[in-house]
Amino acid sequence: MIRRLLTIALALAALATALGAAAPAQASPVSAKKARLREVQAQLDTIGVQVSKAVENYNRASVRLQTTRLRISQNERQLTVAERNLELANRQLVARAGHLQGA
């Protein structure tokens, strides 16, 4: 999405440049070209705002993803410890039960 917006912005910038650099010998008056240039600039400004918002959203999502991955990693380590503790507790319970049955 960001790439598409940037492509559109670049295309409009090229169009604005072409309109601004057009030879005065063409049929349309300079004032009309300046008005069109202002329109294109306004469109570019709008697209720039949209691109900025998209970049901000992407950055926020990237941070959230990074945080989520970190939490998953931490939870996996805690799960490994908990599973080892459970195995140990089960072995101790079986040993104690065996000791009680033998007594």
Side-chain angles (χ1 to χ4, degrees):
M1 179 173 148
I2 293 173
R3 182 177 289 172
R4 184 173 150 212
L5 289 174
L6 287 174
T7 302
I8 292 170
L10 289 175
L12 288 174
L15 177 62
T17 302
L19 288 175
Q26 290 183 346
S28 80
V30 173
S31 60
K33 289 182 182 180
K34 286 183 179 180
R36 178 65 182 137
L37 184 59
R38 283 190 297 274
E39 291 173 13
V40 171
Q41 186 61 49
Q43 291 172 349
L44 283 174
D45 292 342
T46 300
I47 290 170
V49 169
Q50 292 171 346
V51 168
S52 293
K53 288 179 183 178
V55 168
E56 288 174 16
N57 289 337
Y58 174 82
N59 289 339
R60 266 195 303 276
S62 292
V63 168
R64 286 182 59 202
L65 177 60
Q66 192 175 25
T67 301
T68 300
R69 285 180 174 162
L70 176 64
R71 287 179 181 167
I72 288 171
S73 178
Q74 292 169 342
N75 287 337
E76 286 173 341
R77 284 193 297 275
Q78 290 175 355
L79 179 60
T80 300
V81 169
E83 288 171 340
R84 286 182 190 152
N85 289 340
L86 177 61
E87 287 175 24
L88 178 62
N90 281 336
R91 277 190 259 129
Q92 290 174 347
L93 183 60
V94 167
R96 189 172 291 168
H99 179 68
L100 290 175
Q101 285 178 350

